[in-house]
Structure formats: C-alpha cells, structure tokens
Amino acid sequence: MSPRNPWTLVPAADYEGHMGPEGADQLAPLSAVFARACRDLRPARLLVPGVGTGNGLEHVDPAVTERVVGLDVNLQYLAVARQRHGRLGHRLELFCAEVEHADLEPASFDLAFAALLFEHVDAAAAAARIAGWLAPGGSLVAVLQLPSPAGRVSPSRFAGTPAFRAVAAGMRLVPPEELGGHLGRAGLVPRQAYAVEVAHETRLFAGRWLRPK
C-alpha cells in the first residue's frame, strides 16, 4: 500500500460515526468478538493490527495481559486510543505502521486480533506477517466482512465523503476460504468459525487459527 493510504485521510470522528450506531453499526459486534477472544484465550501478549481508535481494548484485563501492541496507519486514531485506554499504562504500545511493513519481534504474541483488516491490505502478505508474529500455541482471530445487499461499505452520512469513497475504491472483500489458504501456507490451522449478524443485512465472519506448538 502506498504512503497515501486513504485511511490516513478519514478523521476519527467520521470513522467512529460511520462504524457506530448511526452508520454501519459494527463497533459493538466487533467489540463483542474481541471480548470473547480475550475471555477464552487469556493472552499474556496481544497484537491488534488495525487497532483504530481502540474499540474493544476495554475488554483487556491488565491482570492477565502484560503487553498490548496496536498498529494503525492513522496517527489520530492512535492518539484517541491512547487517551481512552490510559488505564493500560505501559502495557499499551501503539505504532503508526502498515501491517505489511511493521517491525515486530517474531513469535512474540499469544493472540492477534484483526477485525476488518484484510479487506484493506495485501491479504497474503498481511497473513504471512501476522502468522510469523504468533508464538507457538498462539492464535489469530480474524473478522471478515461477507457479501451483503448493502455493498462493500454500509450506508451512512459519512460514507459519501471523498476519503471514504477512496477507502471503498481500495477495499476488496476476502472470502474466508481465501484467508484460510494464506494462513495455512503460513503454518496456521483453523480452530473455530462463526457468523456475526450486524445492521443493514450485513454479516461478518469470525474465525480463529492456531500456530501449533
């Protein structure tokens, strides 16, 4: 992806407005999937590529999770996430970086949570990078948008802005089986899959893949 990633041009207020109840209404369902992953897997080291403004980080238990690394291309989003989740203190590390080019330690995370990320990146490259950051026994939980009558970008009063139109133009839905293929070639094995119903007749796919010990 180029340095002029369209997500860098979408203000935090527009992003949250579009993703919130007045728009796509996806923040709450994604937060619930995140909460389930944190509850079930109890990661000591958590990676969130495409962390945005930090939706879901409220479910991180500092008594369990010692390190949280968030990646995003929009500095404003990271500033909002830092302000909202200051309770995590030094545990929270936020980096402005594209997932395909981020410099993180190999095999250093117990859980990676990637929500609606693969639609906006080179899916094969991102899958390989994230898989390489997982420690043996670590899991990737990914959420993908499935085809719907609403189209790739759900309707909202924010979706017509030039920045969101640029986001939509660069977006590509990634079928779960395609992502599974990328992850399988990177050494991960599928462990769980389920559908998530959201507004506007939109459905999401949530899946978990494991790096065997």
Side-chain angles (χ1 to χ4, degrees):
M1 298 172 64
S2 73
R4 295 181 63 82
N5 186 315
W7 277 113
T8 65
L9 305 177
V10 179
D14 287 3
Y15 164 70
E16 293 192 332
H18 174 72
M19 292 291 289
E22 296 182 4
D25 201 13
Q26 293 177 342
L27 288 179
L30 293 175
S31 179
V33 177
F34 194 2
R36 176 174 175 173
C38 288
R39 182 189 68 240
D40 293 349
L41 300 174
R42 297 177 60 82
R45 301 164 297 175
L46 171 65
L47 171 65
V48 188
V51 70
T53 53
N55 182 50
L57 291 182
E58 62 272 16
H59 303 298
V60 174
D61 183 353
V64 173
T65 303
E66 303 166 356
R67 185 187 187 201
V68 182
V69 174
L71 305 176
D72 207 278
V73 297
N74 191 309
L75 276 170
Q76 188 184 40
Y77 297 0
L78 297 178
V80 173
R82 169 66 66 187
Q83 183 178 34
R84 285 184 179 160
H85 301 286
R87 70 183 182 88
L88 295 174
H90 68 276
R91 297 174 181 82
L92 181 59
E93 304 171 32
L94 298 173
F95 300 102
C96 188
E98 296 176 332
V99 65
E100 302 99 316
H101 306 295
D103 185 16
L104 299 175
E105 307 91 336
S108 56
F109 295 94
D110 307 301
L111 170 63
F113 182 80
L116 305 184
L117 170 78
F118 289 100
E119 295 86 347
H120 301 280
V121 298
D122 181 326
R129 297 281 286 171
I130 294 172
W133 291 325
L134 290 177
S139 292
L140 164 66
V141 172
V143 182
L144 301 173
Q145 182 167 314
L146 298 173
S148 75
R152 291 177 301 173
V153 176
S154 298
S156 78
R157 64 186 180 89
F158 305 97
T161 65
F164 260 116
R165 288 201 299 269
V167 165
M171 179 181 179
R172 184 181 76 86
L173 297 186
V174 178
E177 57 272 20
E178 178 185 327
L179 179 60
H182 296 321
L183 295 171
R185 287 185 285 276
L188 304 191
V189 295
R191 281 292 179 263
Q192 187 179 30
Y194 59 97
V196 180
E197 301 291 336
V198 294
H200 307 297
E201 300 181 359
T202 300
R203 293 185 308 128
L204 305 177
F205 166 91
R208 180 169 76 90
W209 287 263
L210 174 74
R211 175 166 291 287
K213 294 184 178 179

